[in-house]
Amino acid sequence: MSTEVSDSTNLSEKKDFLVRSSSLKDVRSFSREVFEKFKINEDLREELVLAIAEAAQNIVKHAYKDYPDTQDRMAVRISCTDKELEISFFDKGKPVEKSKVKHRAIDDVKPGGLGTFFIQEIMDSIKFKEGDKPWINNLVLTKKL
Amino acid sequence: MTYKVTDEGDTSTVFLDGEIDMDKTEGAKEVIFPLIDAGKNVNLNLSSVQYMDSSGISVLIESHQKALEKGTKLVIKDVSKSVLKVIMMAKLEQILNLE
């Protein structure tokens, strides 16, 4: 885990993970550790951990769908000011087709399609950007504090 | 995730624990589905499951629907507060059998 900026008003931590489903527990541990360090409200922490884990899961499931044995790594950066939390994800997988990113109708009960719904429910904004080299995708989630 | 199964008559109770995510769902299905396929009612005790993501929720939906198809019943028991929050976020508290 690296601390990029650390002063009283702007904190940022970043860590990279192998793109595997087995990394998701490490993504959650990292997130919990950072939220404790940033003193994020306890009621909010687990919701944010869920949103982060769902976004990381989407990278594994979709951006690397055809590459289950990849050695690529994805990075998660959590930045915090006193007013807003920004969580960025970076990966080198298949470029995200924004038009295809949608959750299933919530009243059409069937397995799957809930991850993006959870992210939308928990976060205030979701933006897909092209990643700066070497990254391909850069997802940015924000939440007002 | 670890699990324990107890049997009483035509009902099996599955105790899961730990954190259920994409990496653990196949293991959960391998425990639950054969019981439903065998015509058992299944109680799924989640009191020791402290975290569940959308993949885990999908296992609950799939198990519930499979039980309906087989004419058995899946009851989800003793859900921890954190998992109940996720079930409610998915608006499934009226769909799944929660006790």
Side-chain angles (χ1 to χ4, degrees):
Chain A
M1 183 161 68
S2 65
T3 302
E4 293 188 325
V5 183
S6 182
D7 59 40
S8 60
T9 56
N10 193 346
L11 300 162
S12 186
E13 299 275 358
K14 188 175 181 182
K15 190 169 183 177
D16 59 79
F17 307 87
L18 189 63
V19 181
R20 293 283 160 80
S21 61
S22 57
S23 296
L24 296 175
K25 65 178 185 305
D26 300 323
V27 171
R28 296 196 296 274
S29 296
F30 163 71
S31 306
R32 288 177 179 130
E33 194 179 319
V34 171
F35 292 142
E36 187 171 349
K37 187 173 175 180
F38 288 3
K39 298 183 169 43
I40 299 296
N41 177 301
E42 282 189 32
D43 287 341
L44 186 57
R45 279 185 206 173
E46 277 304 300
E47 285 190 13
L48 293 168
V49 168
L50 178 63
I52 291 171
E54 294 291 355
Q57 183 182 159
N58 282 344
I59 294 172
V60 176
K61 274 171 81 173
H62 302 299
Y64 282 85
K65 184 182 177 185
D66 301 321
Y67 304 95
D69 299 321
T70 183
Q71 293 302 309
D72 279 4
R73 301 183 76 82
M74 56 184 168
V76 181
R77 185 181 65 208
I78 304 176
S79 305
C80 180
T81 66
D82 57 351
K83 292 181 179 169
E84 189 174 79
L85 196 67
E86 182 181 281
I87 304 159
S88 298
F89 300 81
F90 305 87
D91 72 76
K92 300 174 194 168
K94 193 172 87 176
V96 172
E97 292 180 62
K98 294 177 198 174
S99 61
K100 291 187 177 174
V101 180
K102 53 189 172 187
H103 60 79
R104 68 160 165 79
I106 202 66
D107 56 357
D108 178 19
V109 179
K110 60 185 178 185
L114 281 172
T116 302
F117 175 75
F118 287 164
I119 295 170
Q120 287 179 355
E121 285 289 294
I122 295 164
M123 305 305 294
D124 294 326
S125 78
I126 302 173
K127 285 182 188 158
F128 290 97
K129 299 178 178 177
E130 278 185 28
D132 291 332
K133 282 185 180 178
W135 304 109
I136 302 291
N137 297 307
N138 174 204
L139 168 67
V140 182
L141 310 177
T142 63
K143 177 85 174 175
K144 286 187 173 53
L145 297 174
Chain B
M1 183 192 76
T2 60
Y3 69 91
K4 183 178 81 175
V5 181
T6 61
D7 289 301
E8 192 175 333
D10 61 358
T11 300
S12 294
T13 300
V14 179
F15 297 82
L16 298 179
D17 70 8
E19 300 197 331
I20 301 182
D21 64 9
M22 179 188 177
D23 201 37
K24 306 294 179 192
T25 51
E26 285 309 311
K29 287 180 188 178
E30 283 171 13
V31 179
I32 300 165
F33 287 5
L35 296 169
I36 298 171
D37 285 335
K40 294 267 193 178
N41 294 314
V42 175
N43 292 334
L44 195 54
N45 188 302
L46 298 182
S47 60
S48 296
V49 175
Q50 296 306 319
Y51 173 88
M52 183 176 282
D53 67 7
S54 62
S55 298
I57 294 293
S58 288
V59 173
L60 300 186
I61 295 171
E62 210 172 338
S63 300
H64 174 80
Q65 292 180 336
K66 196 174 184 58
L68 288 177
E69 284 168 20
K70 294 281 179 184
T72 67
K73 192 173 183 184
L74 179 91
V75 179
I76 299 167
K77 287 180 172 280
D78 298 333
V79 185
S80 63
K81 190 179 161 189
S82 52
V83 173
L84 181 60
K85 207 170 171 180
V86 181
I87 288 173
M88 292 178 76
M89 198 185 296
K91 305 191 188 332
L92 291 169
E93 69 274 23
Q94 303 295 328
I95 307 283
L96 302 173
N97 299 310
L98 300 177
E99 281 183 10

